[in-house]
Amino acid sequence: MKSNEIRRLRKDTGLNRDYFSFLFSVCGATITNWELGSRNPAKLYVILLCKLRERINEYKGKENSTKIKELLASFVLKNEVEKFIAWLFNETDNTGNWNINYLLRKINSSF
């Protein structure tokens, strides 16, 4: 993912660098470096960034744009990075909640 794509993605989320970096468990300076092109994200982060782009694209439209921004901000404000990752991969448990443990069990069972 190119630096300008990362910058556009962050802007599409409506999050500042600090909030955006929180979702990926990196510091704000890392996001700045990615956006300026002075450093490239590791493959894991590229996968997560691409998944975020896919999920945002699923919410096309002005009404949904606001909803996605509110959802992402709530993950940050509620300190729910695990739910954010589960949401990225659209993994819900049997109650319909985004659940990282459910996702991890699925991943572990495939090995």
Side-chain angles (χ1 to χ4, degrees):
M1 183 172 268
K2 295 179 182 175
S3 60
N4 62 329
E5 294 172 312
I6 296 170
R7 187 177 316 111
R8 178 79 255 152
L9 176 60
R10 181 180 60 79
K11 290 190 179 284
D12 287 349
T13 66
L15 299 175
N16 64 32
R17 282 189 184 93
D18 289 333
Y19 280 12
F20 193 77
S21 66
F22 178 82
L23 290 176
F24 295 95
S25 299
V26 298
C27 67
T30 298
I31 300 299
T32 300
N33 288 330
W34 293 351
E35 290 182 354
L36 294 174
S38 55
R39 292 186 186 235
N40 294 319
K43 288 179 185 180
L44 171 64
Y45 293 111
V46 172
I47 292 168
L48 295 174
L49 290 164
C50 288
K51 290 299 288 182
L52 179 55
R53 170 52 64 205
E54 286 176 22
R55 293 291 279 154
I56 286 175
N57 287 343
E58 291 173 16
Y59 286 81
K60 288 278 186 188
K62 210 165 192 103
E63 229 177 77
N64 289 331
S65 176
T66 302
K67 288 179 185 176
I68 191 84
K69 289 176 182 179
E70 290 172 354
L71 177 64
L72 292 171
S74 76
F75 289 138
V76 173
L77 297 173
K78 294 178 182 176
N79 197 18
E80 296 179 329
V81 174
E82 293 87 1
K83 281 189 178 181
F84 165 70
I85 299 297
W87 173 82
L88 277 183
F89 290 90
N90 203 21
E91 290 297 335
T92 57
D93 59 19
N94 56 3
T95 64
N97 293 316
W98 292 301
N99 189 323
I100 191 69
N101 293 322
Y102 179 77
L103 174 61
L104 293 173
R105 280 194 300 277
K106 279 183 69 174
I107 291 169
N108 286 333
S109 68
S110 65
F111 288 108

